Each structure stands twice: as C-alpha cells, then as structure tokens.
Amino acid sequence: MNNVFKALADPTRRKVLELLRQRPMSAGELSEHFPVSRPTMSAHFAVLREADLIESNKIGTTILYQLKLSVLEDALLSFSQLFGIGAVERAATKPAGNGQPRKQPRRS
Amino acid sequence: MNNVFKALADPTRRKVLELLRQRPMSAGELSEHFPVSRPTMSAHFAVLREADLIESNKIGTTILYQLKLSVLEDALLSFSQLFGIGAVERAATKPAGNGQPRKQPRRS
DNA sequence: CTTTTATTTAGATATTTAGCTAAATATCAT
DNA sequence: ATGATATTTAGCTAAATATCTAAATAAAAG
C-alpha cells in the first residue's frame, strides 16, 4: 500500500497507468509519450512494478506492460474506506476485456 | 491534484489525515502519535496544508488542524474516474458534525 | 515585563529520487 | 557471427525530502 502511494506520487507514473488503462503497451511505446529518456522511463516502470501496479510480458524483443487494475483498485478502496469516503465500487468486469481478472474467481 | 498525491506518499502524513478524520487536533496532540520531532511534524503539516488537505485554526497558543475531507474526496474521486474504477460516493454529510462546513472562523 | 507553552522557522545533514549518458543484455534478421 | 532494435543496468549529478537541534515568534500567565 505504501509502495502504491509512493508510485502514484509522480505524475509521469500516473500518466503511464492511465495510458495502460486503454491497452497494454510496450516500454518503447509508452516512452514516446514522455519527454524523458528511455532509461528514466525504465526506472519509472520498475517503481510501478515494485508496487505491483503493472506486470510485464516479454514478447521477443519487446516488453509489454499491462495495468493491474485490481491492485490499484484495492489500494484506492481500502484507503477510501479508512475515511468512510466509501464505496469505490468493485471493478465491474471491464468491457474491452483488458480487466484484471486474476484474483478470486468471485464466489457468487 | 499532484500535491495531494505527493502528500499522500508519506505514511506519517496519511496517518495524520486518519487521525484528523475523527476530530480536529492540535499540532502537539498530533505529534504525540509519532516518533519524530515537533519541527518534523510541522513540516508534514505544511505539506498537507500545501495540498489543501487540512486547514488550521489558531486558538490562543495552540493550532487546531482539521481535515478537509472534501478535498481528499475530490482527488480520490477524479483519479478513480480516470480508471473507470468508479463511484467514490460524494460525502454523505458526515454525521458527527465534523464534516467540512465551518468556513467562518469565530471572528470575534 | 518575564516566563512558560505551543508551534514554526532556520540552518545543517543524510537519504532518496528523477534525470542523464554510456554500456550491457537479449532477441531478431541477415 | 554481425548488425540492428528494444530495454535494462550501471554510474553519476542535481534536486527534493525527511530529519535533527537551536532559535524565533506568539500568546497566556504570573
């Protein structure tokens, strides 16, 4: 949780997460959106990975990053609840199929 | 918004906000909850004030800090919405009367 | 007016962070 | 094997942050 908030403290990293919300992207593609060097972006990815907010998939020579929405959600939810701010509703199974399913198979 | 996330990045500051959620507290009272010096706490308060997450009310020699819940809420809400995480429901007018209303400090 | 209490400001230091360039690694194509 | 491409690791600097002690400010109490 602390790592999540640390990760969210930087605007570049928040923007990366936003970009990844739309679809998985390679490190290079993500980097194109920012005016900083690739190594710098790589460091940002490492922080996000450390916070477990993204996961990576090596495909040949490129690395595809993917948002772990449920982790972001859980952090936001539990923090909000501390304040009674309440009900960040549970991920409503994202439409485009880029959700973050890997969790408990939801006991109905 | 950036300032809010910067402020939330530190566990001491998050805890301060949690404490203030219950009731307004003086700088000194808040400080007692942490193993750091008063000046250090004062600096944390400054960051929180900078982010507009708390407001201060000087009463004689002590300074009462108060949580600005709506600001925290707004930040969390708008960020959540970027991800379609959804509905941090609007502050349901806190029960105990420690909401955010008091804009007028006793102008005597 | 002097002292006490509450808090902040100043000044110093140590740690962390964001950024860079250059080099290493890994994969793919020739 | 060589070269090209994608990304990370290493090593560095500059700036930001967290912390401390000592001093300053402000109000209250004597």
Side-chain angles (χ1 to χ4, degrees):
Chain A
M1 168 115 160
N2 189 37
N3 282 343
V4 170
F5 279 104
K6 281 273 183 63
L8 294 181
D10 185 278
T12 294
R13 290 192 291 261
R14 286 198 304 275
K15 191 83 177 273
V16 166
L17 295 179
E18 279 184 61
L19 288 168
L20 289 180
R21 186 195 70 122
Q22 308 168 30
R23 60 195 151 86
M25 281 188 212
S26 71
E29 190 177 359
L30 285 167
S31 292
E32 284 168 13
H33 291 81
F34 303 88
V36 301
S37 71
R38 306 276 164 133
T40 294
M41 289 305 295
S42 186
H44 282 307
F45 300 148
V47 172
L48 290 170
R49 216 180 311 107
E50 187 63 29
D52 199 34
L53 285 167
I54 60 177
E55 68 186 2
S56 54
N57 252 306
K58 191 163 195 171
I59 297 182
T61 177
T62 87
I63 295 182
L64 258 204
Y65 280 111
Q66 193 168 346
L67 175 63
K68 294 180 77 168
L69 186 60
S70 67
V71 173
L72 180 61
E73 226 169 61
D74 285 349
L76 254 27
L77 173 64
S78 50
F79 184 68
S80 294
Q81 285 182 334
L82 286 178
F83 294 87
I85 286 182
V88 173
E89 58 184 31
R90 202 107 232 79
T93 312
K94 295 297 290 178
N98 178 22
Q100 231 38 54
R102 329 197 92 266
K103 224 31 206 247
Q104 291 278 355
R106 191 182 295 291
R107 292 195 175 292
S108 56
Chain B
M1 166 115 166
N2 189 38
N3 282 343
V4 170
F5 279 104
K6 281 271 182 64
L8 294 181
D10 186 279
T12 294
R13 290 192 292 261
R14 286 198 303 275
K15 192 84 177 271
V16 166
L17 295 180
E18 279 184 61
L19 288 169
L20 289 180
R21 184 207 143 220
Q22 308 167 30
R23 62 194 150 87
M25 282 187 212
S26 71
E29 190 178 359
L30 285 167
S31 292
E32 285 168 12
H33 290 80
F34 303 89
V36 301
S37 71
R38 307 274 166 139
T40 295
M41 289 305 294
S42 185
H44 282 306
F45 301 148
V47 172
L48 290 170
R49 217 180 309 108
E50 188 63 30
D52 199 34
L53 285 168
I54 61 178
E55 67 186 4
S56 54
N57 254 306
K58 191 162 193 170
I59 296 181
T61 176
T62 86
I63 295 182
L64 258 205
Y65 281 110
Q66 192 167 346
L67 175 62
K68 294 181 78 168
L69 187 59
S70 66
V71 174
L72 179 60
E73 227 168 61
D74 285 348
L76 255 28
L77 172 63
S78 52
F79 184 68
S80 293
Q81 284 183 335
L82 286 178
F83 293 87
I85 285 182
V88 173
E89 60 185 30
R90 198 110 236 77
T93 312
K94 296 296 291 176
N98 178 19
Q100 259 9 75
R102 289 290 127 351
K103 213 44 224 230
Q104 306 246 49
R106 45 210 109 334
R107 262 239 126 50
S108 52

mmCIF file of all heavy atoms in Angstrom, chain B residues 18-58:
data_model
loop_
_atom_site.group_PDB
_atom_site.id
_atom_site.type_symbol
_atom_site.label_atom_id
_atom_site.label_comp_id
_atom_site.label_asym_id
_atom_site.label_seq_id
_atom_site.Cartn_x
_atom_site.Cartn_y
_atom_site.Cartn_z
ATOM 1 N N GLU B 18 -5.720 10.359 8.872
ATOM 2 C CA GLU B 18 -6.620 9.397 9.535
ATOM 3 C C GLU B 18 -7.001 9.878 10.927
ATOM 4 O O GLU B 18 -8.163 9.783 11.334
ATOM 5 C CB GLU B 18 -5.940 8.041 9.663
ATOM 6 C CG GLU B 18 -5.995 7.187 8.410
ATOM 7 C CD GLU B 18 -5.370 5.827 8.685
ATOM 8 O OE1 GLU B 18 -5.882 5.107 9.554
ATOM 9 O OE2 GLU B 18 -4.354 5.497 8.039
ATOM 10 N N LEU B 19 -6.002 10.384 11.644
ATOM 11 C CA LEU B 19 -6.284 10.874 12.994
ATOM 12 C C LEU B 19 -7.265 12.041 12.945
ATOM 13 O O LEU B 19 -8.182 12.138 13.762
ATOM 14 C CB LEU B 19 -4.981 11.305 13.676
ATOM 15 C CG LEU B 19 -4.055 10.156 14.086
ATOM 16 C CD1 LEU B 19 -2.684 10.685 14.489
ATOM 17 C CD2 LEU B 19 -4.674 9.367 15.233
ATOM 18 N N LEU B 20 -7.061 12.905 11.972
ATOM 19 C CA LEU B 20 -7.924 14.081 11.870
ATOM 20 C C LEU B 20 -9.325 13.738 11.392
ATOM 21 O O LEU B 20 -10.242 14.548 11.489
ATOM 22 C CB LEU B 20 -7.294 15.111 10.926
ATOM 23 C CG LEU B 20 -6.067 15.817 11.474
ATOM 24 C CD1 LEU B 20 -5.549 16.812 10.455
ATOM 25 C CD2 LEU B 20 -6.408 16.511 12.784
ATOM 26 N N ARG B 21 -9.437 12.549 10.878
ATOM 27 C CA ARG B 21 -10.760 12.152 10.417
ATOM 28 C C ARG B 21 -11.713 12.060 11.605
ATOM 29 O O ARG B 21 -12.897 12.362 11.504
ATOM 30 C CB ARG B 21 -10.652 10.800 9.723
ATOM 31 C CG ARG B 21 -11.943 10.343 9.115
ATOM 32 C CD ARG B 21 -11.980 8.844 9.037
ATOM 33 N NE ARG B 21 -13.303 8.339 9.310
ATOM 34 C CZ ARG B 21 -13.555 7.264 10.028
ATOM 35 N NH1 ARG B 21 -12.565 6.604 10.573
ATOM 36 N NH2 ARG B 21 -14.773 6.850 10.216
ATOM 37 N N GLN B 22 -11.174 11.658 12.741
ATOM 38 C CA GLN B 22 -12.005 11.503 13.930
ATOM 39 C C GLN B 22 -12.433 12.831 14.526
ATOM 40 O O GLN B 22 -13.577 13.029 14.891
ATOM 41 C CB GLN B 22 -11.243 10.697 14.973
ATOM 42 C CG GLN B 22 -10.713 9.380 14.399
ATOM 43 C CD GLN B 22 -9.696 8.709 15.315
ATOM 44 O OE1 GLN B 22 -9.773 8.864 16.525
ATOM 45 N NE2 GLN B 22 -8.762 7.986 14.732
ATOM 46 N N ARG B 23 -11.478 13.725 14.648
ATOM 47 C CA ARG B 23 -11.787 15.039 15.211
ATOM 48 C C ARG B 23 -10.602 15.948 14.954
ATOM 49 O O ARG B 23 -9.488 15.477 14.724
ATOM 50 C CB ARG B 23 -12.043 14.924 16.720
ATOM 51 C CG ARG B 23 -10.826 14.409 17.473
ATOM 52 C CD ARG B 23 -11.149 13.971 18.897
ATOM 53 N NE ARG B 23 -10.249 12.906 19.306
ATOM 54 C CZ ARG B 23 -9.048 13.122 19.848
ATOM 55 N NH1 ARG B 23 -8.615 14.339 20.061
ATOM 56 N NH2 ARG B 23 -8.276 12.104 20.172
ATOM 57 N N PRO B 24 -10.820 17.241 14.996
ATOM 58 C CA PRO B 24 -9.716 18.182 14.851
ATOM 59 C C PRO B 24 -8.743 17.984 16.012
ATOM 60 O O PRO B 24 -9.177 17.624 17.116
ATOM 61 C CB PRO B 24 -10.405 19.535 14.944
ATOM 62 C CG PRO B 24 -11.809 19.276 14.514
ATOM 63 C CD PRO B 24 -12.124 17.917 15.054
ATOM 64 N N MET B 25 -7.485 18.202 15.763
ATOM 65 C CA MET B 25 -6.485 18.056 16.818
ATOM 66 C C MET B 25 -5.420 19.125 16.667
ATOM 67 O O MET B 25 -5.158 19.605 15.568
ATOM 68 C CB MET B 25 -5.775 16.704 16.702
ATOM 69 C CG MET B 25 -6.537 15.528 17.224
ATOM 70 S SD MET B 25 -5.483 14.054 17.212
ATOM 71 C CE MET B 25 -6.741 12.815 16.910
ATOM 72 N N SER B 26 -4.804 19.438 17.775
ATOM 73 C CA SER B 26 -3.724 20.424 17.744
ATOM 74 C C SER B 26 -2.458 19.773 17.203
ATOM 75 O O SER B 26 -2.320 18.541 17.210
ATOM 76 C CB SER B 26 -3.450 20.933 19.150
ATOM 77 O OG SER B 26 -2.848 19.931 19.919
ATOM 78 N N ALA B 27 -1.551 20.622 16.765
ATOM 79 C CA ALA B 27 -0.266 20.135 16.258
ATOM 80 C C ALA B 27 0.421 19.275 17.308
ATOM 81 O O ALA B 27 0.941 18.203 16.997
ATOM 82 C CB ALA B 27 0.617 21.328 15.884
ATOM 83 N N GLY B 28 0.379 19.738 18.539
ATOM 84 C CA GLY B 28 1.028 18.998 19.612
ATOM 85 C C GLY B 28 0.406 17.636 19.852
ATOM 86 O O GLY B 28 1.103 16.635 19.974
ATOM 87 N N GLU B 29 -0.889 17.610 19.871
ATOM 88 C CA GLU B 29 -1.578 16.344 20.091
ATOM 89 C C GLU B 29 -1.260 15.364 18.965
ATOM 90 O O GLU B 29 -0.980 14.190 19.200
ATOM 91 C CB GLU B 29 -3.084 16.591 20.180
ATOM 92 C CG GLU B 29 -3.845 15.361 20.640
ATOM 93 C CD GLU B 29 -5.337 15.621 20.779
ATOM 94 O OE1 GLU B 29 -5.759 16.777 20.530
ATOM 95 O OE2 GLU B 29 -6.069 14.677 21.130
ATOM 96 N N LEU B 30 -1.296 15.856 17.760
ATOM 97 C CA LEU B 30 -0.960 15.001 16.624
ATOM 98 C C LEU B 30 0.464 14.470 16.757
ATOM 99 O O LEU B 30 0.722 13.280 16.546
ATOM 100 C CB LEU B 30 -1.114 15.784 15.316
ATOM 101 C CG LEU B 30 -2.545 16.021 14.844
ATOM 102 C CD1 LEU B 30 -2.578 17.063 13.746
ATOM 103 C CD2 LEU B 30 -3.170 14.718 14.356
ATOM 104 N N SER B 31 1.355 15.369 17.124
ATOM 105 C CA SER B 31 2.770 14.988 17.224
ATOM 106 C C SER B 31 2.995 13.836 18.185
ATOM 107 O O SER B 31 3.869 12.998 17.976
ATOM 108 C CB SER B 31 3.604 16.190 17.663
ATOM 109 O OG SER B 31 3.621 17.172 16.646
ATOM 110 N N GLU B 32 2.215 13.804 19.248
ATOM 111 C CA GLU B 32 2.378 12.737 20.241
ATOM 112 C C GLU B 32 2.207 11.341 19.648
ATOM 113 O O GLU B 32 2.691 10.369 20.214
ATOM 114 C CB GLU B 32 1.354 12.919 21.374
ATOM 115 C CG GLU B 32 1.707 14.053 22.314
ATOM 116 C CD GLU B 32 0.553 14.396 23.245
ATOM 117 O OE1 GLU B 32 -0.409 13.601 23.302
ATOM 118 O OE2 GLU B 32 0.607 15.448 23.895
ATOM 119 N N HIS B 33 1.537 11.265 18.537
ATOM 120 C CA HIS B 33 1.312 9.960 17.934
ATOM 121 C C HIS B 33 2.479 9.455 17.095
ATOM 122 O O HIS B 33 2.424 8.350 16.560
ATOM 123 C CB HIS B 33 0.058 9.998 17.049
ATOM 124 C CG HIS B 33 -1.217 10.127 17.818
ATOM 125 N ND1 HIS B 33 -1.662 11.335 18.299
ATOM 126 C CD2 HIS B 33 -2.124 9.200 18.216
ATOM 127 C CE1 HIS B 33 -2.815 11.139 18.930
ATOM 128 N NE2 HIS B 33 -3.111 9.859 18.898
ATOM 129 N N PHE B 34 3.507 10.269 16.943
ATOM 130 C CA PHE B 34 4.604 9.877 16.065
ATOM 131 C C PHE B 34 5.959 10.038 16.743
ATOM 132 O O PHE B 34 6.124 10.921 17.594
ATOM 133 C CB PHE B 34 4.550 10.718 14.789
ATOM 134 C CG PHE B 34 3.244 10.600 14.059
ATOM 135 C CD1 PHE B 34 2.180 11.453 14.358
ATOM 136 C CD2 PHE B 34 3.057 9.634 13.084
ATOM 137 C CE1 PHE B 34 0.956 11.343 13.705
ATOM 138 C CE2 PHE B 34 1.844 9.511 12.429
ATOM 139 C CZ PHE B 34 0.794 10.368 12.732
ATOM 140 N N PRO B 35 6.891 9.200 16.358
ATOM 141 C CA PRO B 35 8.202 9.199 16.995
ATOM 142 C C PRO B 35 9.168 10.181 16.359
ATOM 143 O O PRO B 35 10.349 9.894 16.259
ATOM 144 C CB PRO B 35 8.658 7.757 16.772
ATOM 145 C CG PRO B 35 8.090 7.402 15.449
ATOM 146 C CD PRO B 35 6.779 8.157 15.337
ATOM 147 N N VAL B 36 8.671 11.300 15.910
ATOM 148 C CA VAL B 36 9.572 12.293 15.319
ATOM 149 C C VAL B 36 9.401 13.633 16.031
ATOM 150 O O VAL B 36 8.433 13.843 16.762
ATOM 151 C CB VAL B 36 9.297 12.475 13.804
ATOM 152 C CG1 VAL B 36 9.478 11.167 13.074
ATOM 153 C CG2 VAL B 36 7.922 13.034 13.576
ATOM 154 N N SER B 37 10.324 14.519 15.806
ATOM 155 C CA SER B 37 10.308 15.812 16.489
ATOM 156 C C SER B 37 9.163 16.709 16.042
ATOM 157 O O SER B 37 8.581 16.514 14.976
ATOM 158 C CB SER B 37 11.634 16.526 16.245
ATOM 159 O OG SER B 37 11.697 16.952 14.908
ATOM 160 N N ARG B 38 8.879 17.691 16.855
ATOM 161 C CA ARG B 38 7.813 18.647 16.518
ATOM 162 C C ARG B 38 8.098 19.372 15.201
ATOM 163 O O ARG B 38 7.216 19.456 14.359
ATOM 164 C CB ARG B 38 7.653 19.688 17.634
ATOM 165 C CG ARG B 38 7.460 19.095 19.001
ATOM 166 C CD ARG B 38 6.010 18.789 19.248
ATOM 167 N NE ARG B 38 5.866 17.911 20.412
ATOM 168 C CZ ARG B 38 4.926 18.047 21.325
ATOM 169 N NH1 ARG B 38 4.052 19.028 21.229
ATOM 170 N NH2 ARG B 38 4.847 17.200 22.324
ATOM 171 N N PRO B 39 9.289 19.889 15.044
ATOM 172 C CA PRO B 39 9.559 20.575 13.768
ATOM 173 C C PRO B 39 9.328 19.670 12.562
ATOM 174 O O PRO B 39 8.819 20.124 11.533
ATOM 175 C CB PRO B 39 11.021 20.985 13.892
ATOM 176 C CG PRO B 39 11.222 21.167 15.348
ATOM 177 C CD PRO B 39 10.411 20.072 15.990
ATOM 178 N N THR B 40 9.685 18.421 12.704
ATOM 179 C CA THR B 40 9.458 17.497 11.595
ATOM 180 C C THR B 40 7.968 17.376 11.317
ATOM 181 O O THR B 40 7.526 17.427 10.165
ATOM 182 C CB THR B 40 10.041 16.110 11.923
ATOM 183 O OG1 THR B 40 11.454 16.235 12.031
ATOM 184 C CG2 THR B 40 9.716 15.107 10.844
ATOM 185 N N MET B 41 7.206 17.247 12.373
ATOM 186 C CA MET B 41 5.756 17.169 12.196
ATOM 187 C C MET B 41 5.226 18.455 11.568
ATOM 188 O O MET B 41 4.363 18.424 10.692
ATOM 189 C CB MET B 41 5.066 16.919 13.542
ATOM 190 C CG MET B 41 5.271 15.530 14.110
ATOM 191 S SD MET B 41 4.800 14.180 12.988
ATOM 192 C CE MET B 41 3.028 14.437 12.879
ATOM 193 N N SER B 42 5.771 19.546 12.025
ATOM 194 C CA SER B 42 5.347 20.833 11.473
ATOM 195 C C SER B 42 5.538 20.859 9.954
ATOM 196 O O SER B 42 4.690 21.358 9.212
ATOM 197 C CB SER B 42 6.144 21.954 12.137
ATOM 198 O OG SER B 42 5.664 23.203 11.711
ATOM 199 N N ALA B 43 6.648 20.300 9.511
ATOM 200 C CA ALA B 43 6.918 20.249 8.071
ATOM 201 C C ALA B 43 5.872 19.377 7.370
ATOM 202 O O ALA B 43 5.401 19.723 6.279
ATOM 203 C CB ALA B 43 8.320 19.711 7.824
ATOM 204 N N HIS B 44 5.508 18.278 8.011
ATOM 205 C CA HIS B 44 4.482 17.425 7.404
ATOM 206 C C HIS B 44 3.152 18.174 7.311
ATOM 207 O O HIS B 44 2.457 18.089 6.303
ATOM 208 C CB HIS B 44 4.304 16.147 8.229
ATOM 209 C CG HIS B 44 5.380 15.134 8.001
ATOM 210 N ND1 HIS B 44 5.714 14.661 6.749
ATOM 211 C CD2 HIS B 44 6.212 14.502 8.862
ATOM 212 C CE1 HIS B 44 6.700 13.781 6.854
ATOM 213 N NE2 HIS B 44 7.027 13.667 8.125
ATOM 214 N N PHE B 45 2.849 18.916 8.355
ATOM 215 C CA PHE B 45 1.610 19.698 8.322
ATOM 216 C C PHE B 45 1.646 20.693 7.157
ATOM 217 O O PHE B 45 0.639 20.899 6.484
ATOM 218 C CB PHE B 45 1.395 20.462 9.634
ATOM 219 C CG PHE B 45 1.309 19.581 10.853
ATOM 220 C CD1 PHE B 45 1.760 20.013 12.089
ATOM 221 C CD2 PHE B 45 0.774 18.296 10.757
ATOM 222 C CE1 PHE B 45 1.680 19.195 13.211
ATOM 223 C CE2 PHE B 45 0.694 17.468 11.875
ATOM 224 C CZ PHE B 45 1.153 17.924 13.107
ATOM 225 N N ALA B 46 2.801 21.270 6.952
ATOM 226 C CA ALA B 46 2.932 22.252 5.866
ATOM 227 C C ALA B 46 2.642 21.605 4.514
ATOM 228 O O ALA B 46 1.978 22.201 3.661
ATOM 229 C CB ALA B 46 4.333 22.861 5.883
ATOM 230 N N VAL B 47 3.125 20.389 4.337
ATOM 231 C CA VAL B 47 2.877 19.692 3.074
ATOM 232 C C VAL B 47 1.379 19.423 2.908
ATOM 233 O O VAL B 47 0.812 19.617 1.832
ATOM 234 C CB VAL B 47 3.660 18.359 3.013
ATOM 235 C CG1 VAL B 47 3.252 17.536 1.799
ATOM 236 C CG2 VAL B 47 5.154 18.628 2.986
ATOM 237 N N LEU B 48 0.765 19.010 3.986
ATOM 238 C CA LEU B 48 -0.678 18.735 3.935
ATOM 239 C C LEU B 48 -1.472 20.013 3.686
ATOM 240 O O LEU B 48 -2.467 20.006 2.964
ATOM 241 C CB LEU B 48 -1.130 18.073 5.246
ATOM 242 C CG LEU B 48 -0.631 16.640 5.462
ATOM 243 C CD1 LEU B 48 -0.919 16.157 6.875
ATOM 244 C CD2 LEU B 48 -1.258 15.692 4.436
ATOM 245 N N ARG B 49 -1.017 21.098 4.275
ATOM 246 C CA ARG B 49 -1.696 22.372 4.063
ATOM 247 C C ARG B 49 -1.507 22.811 2.619
ATOM 248 O O ARG B 49 -2.438 23.272 1.966
ATOM 249 C CB ARG B 49 -1.156 23.434 5.025
ATOM 250 C CG ARG B 49 -2.234 24.383 5.524
ATOM 251 C CD ARG B 49 -1.696 25.454 6.483
ATOM 252 N NE ARG B 49 -0.905 24.949 7.576
ATOM 253 C CZ ARG B 49 0.429 25.094 7.680
ATOM 254 N NH1 ARG B 49 1.097 25.740 6.745
ATOM 255 N NH2 ARG B 49 1.065 24.599 8.717
ATOM 256 N N GLU B 50 -0.298 22.627 2.128
ATOM 257 C CA GLU B 50 0.011 22.979 0.740
ATOM 258 C C GLU B 50 -0.908 22.235 -0.235
ATOM 259 O O GLU B 50 -1.320 22.769 -1.264
ATOM 260 C CB GLU B 50 1.476 22.625 0.445
ATOM 261 C CG GLU B 50 1.978 23.103 -0.893
ATOM 262 C CD GLU B 50 1.951 24.623 -0.997
ATOM 263 O OE1 GLU B 50 2.096 25.314 0.048
ATOM 264 O OE2 GLU B 50 1.780 25.130 -2.102
ATOM 265 N N ALA B 51 -1.215 21.010 0.125
ATOM 266 C CA ALA B 51 -2.096 20.199 -0.718
ATOM 267 C C ALA B 51 -3.561 20.516 -0.443
ATOM 268 O O ALA B 51 -4.456 19.929 -1.032
ATOM 269 C CB ALA B 51 -1.832 18.719 -0.477
ATOM 270 N N ASP B 52 -3.769 21.417 0.487
ATOM 271 C CA ASP B 52 -5.122 21.835 0.852
ATOM 272 C C ASP B 52 -5.928 20.696 1.498
ATOM 273 O O ASP B 52 -7.154 20.695 1.449
ATOM 274 C CB ASP B 52 -5.853 22.375 -0.379
ATOM 275 C CG ASP B 52 -7.056 23.239 -0.013
ATOM 276 O OD1 ASP B 52 -6.986 23.932 1.021
ATOM 277 O OD2 ASP B 52 -8.057 23.191 -0.731
ATOM 278 N N LEU B 53 -5.213 19.761 2.084
ATOM 279 C CA LEU B 53 -5.900 18.618 2.701
ATOM 280 C C LEU B 53 -6.291 18.895 4.147
ATOM 281 O O LEU B 53 -7.128 18.195 4.716
ATOM 282 C CB LEU B 53 -5.006 17.373 2.652
ATOM 283 C CG LEU B 53 -4.912 16.713 1.280
ATOM 284 C CD1 LEU B 53 -3.785 15.688 1.242
ATOM 285 C CD2 LEU B 53 -6.233 16.046 0.920
ATOM 286 N N ILE B 54 -5.678 19.907 4.734
ATOM 287 C CA ILE B 54 -6.056 20.288 6.095
ATOM 288 C C ILE B 54 -6.148 21.801 6.172
ATOM 289 O O ILE B 54 -5.613 22.514 5.315
ATOM 290 C CB ILE B 54 -5.030 19.812 7.153
ATOM 291 C CG1 ILE B 54 -3.656 20.434 6.881
ATOM 292 C CG2 ILE B 54 -4.929 18.308 7.159
ATOM 293 C CD1 ILE B 54 -2.598 20.060 7.916
ATOM 294 N N GLU B 55 -6.835 22.277 7.197
ATOM 295 C CA GLU B 55 -6.818 23.710 7.445
ATOM 296 C C GLU B 55 -6.530 23.925 8.920
ATOM 297 O O GLU B 55 -6.766 23.046 9.744
ATOM 298 C CB GLU B 55 -8.135 24.363 7.027
ATOM 299 C CG GLU B 55 -9.331 23.981 7.847
ATOM 300 C CD GLU B 55 -10.612 24.595 7.238
ATOM 301 O OE1 GLU B 55 -10.551 25.231 6.183
ATOM 302 O OE2 GLU B 55 -11.680 24.393 7.852
ATOM 303 N N SER B 56 -5.975 25.091 9.216
ATOM 304 C CA SER B 56 -5.570 25.338 10.582
ATOM 305 C C SER B 56 -6.335 26.506 11.173
ATOM 306 O O SER B 56 -6.746 27.424 10.471
ATOM 307 C CB SER B 56 -4.073 25.627 10.635
ATOM 308 O OG SER B 56 -3.759 26.673 9.756
ATOM 309 N N ASN B 57 -6.524 26.415 12.470
ATOM 310 C CA ASN B 57 -7.254 27.426 13.215
ATOM 311 C C ASN B 57 -6.491 27.750 14.473
ATOM 312 O O ASN B 57 -6.362 26.908 15.350
ATOM 313 C CB ASN B 57 -8.613 26.851 13.627
ATOM 314 C CG ASN B 57 -9.708 27.448 12.801
ATOM 315 O OD1 ASN B 57 -9.837 28.669 12.734
ATOM 316 N ND2 ASN B 57 -10.475 26.594 12.157
ATOM 317 N N LYS B 58 -5.988 28.934 14.508
ATOM 318 C CA LYS B 58 -5.209 29.278 15.685
ATOM 319 C C LYS B 58 -6.156 29.666 16.812
ATOM 320 O O LYS B 58 -7.012 30.534 16.653
ATOM 321 C CB LYS B 58 -4.278 30.446 15.378
ATOM 322 C CG LYS B 58 -3.267 30.687 16.461
ATOM 323 C CD LYS B 58 -2.115 31.526 15.911
ATOM 324 C CE LYS B 58 -0.928 31.532 16.862
ATOM 325 N NZ LYS B 58 0.249 32.145 16.226
#
